[in-house]
Structure formats: C-alpha cells, structure tokens
Amino acid sequence: TSPRASLRLRYPTLYAAAVNFEMGGLSAVAAVELHEDGFGLRPITGANTGIKPSKDMAWRLSAGYELPLAGLGALTVMGMFEQLSYSQDEATGAADLEDYSRMAWLLGAKFRAGDHEFRARYAQGLNPDCTLADGTDCGDVEDFGAQQFALGYAYHLAKSTLVYAFYTQIM
C-alpha cells in the first residue's frame, strides 16, 4: 500500500457542501457529500481482514413552502429527493460488493399554531441497484426498499427551545 493510501486508510476523508435558498415562504436546499473510507473500518479491524476502502457519495434536493393560514397558524409542506451511492474500487472477490446505489423521496407537512406544532412525514427508499466485483448484479434486491411514516407533536417553550414526541414506523 502506498503511503498516501495508508494515510487515507487511517484518516477517512469527508467532504460536504450545501446551498440554501430562502425567499418569502419558499426554502430550497441542495447538498452533496463524498466519503472516502467514511466508516474507517480498516484501521480498526486491521488491514488484512479483507475490508476494502470505500467511496460513498450522496446528494439531496429538498424544498418547502410555508403557507400562512389567516388567524389559524401556518402550514409548511416539503419534499425531498436523494441518491446514495457506494463503491469499492478494490473489490476483487466474486461476492465483494463493487457498486450500490439507491434513491429515496420524502413528503412532509407541519402545522404550527402558537406554541403547538403537528408534523407528518412519509418517506420511501426505492429498491437499490448493485453490482458485485465479477460484474453480476446482486440478485434479488426487490425487498431492500423501505417505507417510513412519522407523526409528531412539538411544543415551543421559547423561540430557540422545544420539546417534542414522535411516532415513526418503518415497513
């Protein structure tokens, strides 16, 4: 292993950037992250265990809009779309995972009246695409997608402090 690769194995590298735009009730965010050996498992478990360095990349786009409801409060609706990708350039064994990619989306709403806030969200992770080191696909990944819904309540104690409770279920 080269000295540079050895350093990368000891010190995972993480890069992230985000752009946020707000105008009136509209808010939009674009974000991207790149992780090189982000889990940092090789130095923890030892370089001879077969764990390969990985590269992970994620990007996300989201937008929300706050609608004032005269005398009642405000309703905010939002949506999000993201893609996560994972790769191991040094995958060599036939069963080693070389590439993995999945997309997900989320829809949500919150209603705030005074110090009370009610929230609801639904998210779905789509079935992934993945490839093994020998070039074949990973087989049956039809049940790898997931759905989540969440309901919540928050009480604002002060402008910067709130208490909340959520119920969430992943299916």
Side-chain angles (χ1 to χ4, degrees), residues 7-43:
L7 282 176
R8 184 170 57 84
L9 295 177
R10 290 182 49 214
Y11 302 104
T13 306
L14 309 173
Y15 302 98
V19 175
N20 187 27
F21 172 80
E22 292 185 15
M23 184 172 67
L26 176 66
S27 176
V29 176
V32 64
E33 287 188 20
L34 174 63
H35 304 171
E36 292 184 2
D37 196 29
F39 295 112
L41 295 176
R42 288 185 72 162

Side-chain angles (χ1 to χ4, degrees), residues 100-123:
Y100 176 93
S101 177
R102 77 110 175 103
M103 295 186 182
W105 59 272
L106 176 141
L107 294 175
K110 71 178 180 179
F111 174 71
R112 182 168 178 183
D115 292 332
H116 304 276
E117 188 173 281
F118 301 90
R119 297 179 180 206
R121 288 187 174 183
Y122 176 80

Side-chain angles (χ1 to χ4, degrees), residues 6-155:
S6 177
L7 282 176
R8 184 170 57 84
L9 295 177
R10 290 182 49 214
Y11 302 104
T13 306
L14 309 173
Y15 302 98
V19 175
N20 187 27
F21 172 80
E22 292 185 15
M23 184 172 67
L26 176 66
S27 176
V29 176
V32 64
E33 287 188 20
L34 174 63
H35 304 171
E36 292 184 2
D37 196 29
F39 295 112
L41 295 176
R42 288 185 72 162
I44 294 170
T45 60
N48 297 324
T49 63
I51 295 174
K52 310 282 191 268
S54 65
K55 290 185 181 179
D56 309 322
M57 182 172 176
W59 59 264
R60 175 179 290 171
L61 301 172
S62 62
Y65 191 77
E66 183 178 294
L67 305 158
L69 303 175
L72 296 176
L75 175 67
T76 303
V77 293
M78 60 90 60
M80 182 272 306
F81 187 78
E82 72 177 8
Q83 180 176 9
L84 303 176
S85 299
Y86 168 86
S87 67
Q88 291 186 109
D89 294 337
E90 296 178 23
T92 55
D96 284 353
L97 182 66
E98 185 174 76
D99 293 299
Y100 176 93
S101 177
R102 77 110 175 103
M103 295 186 182
W105 59 272
L106 176 141
L107 294 175
K110 71 178 180 179
F111 174 71
R112 182 168 178 183
D115 292 332
H116 304 276
E117 188 173 281
F118 301 90
R119 297 179 180 206
R121 288 187 174 183
Y122 176 80
Q124 184 170 15
L126 305 178
N127 288 327
D129 292 320
C130 64
T131 307
L132 300 175
D134 66 3
T136 62
D137 69 13
C138 293
D140 186 15
V141 292
E142 294 301 314
D143 292 332
F144 280 35
Q147 299 174 41
Q148 176 193 28
F149 72 89
L151 298 172
Y153 169 79
Y155 182 77

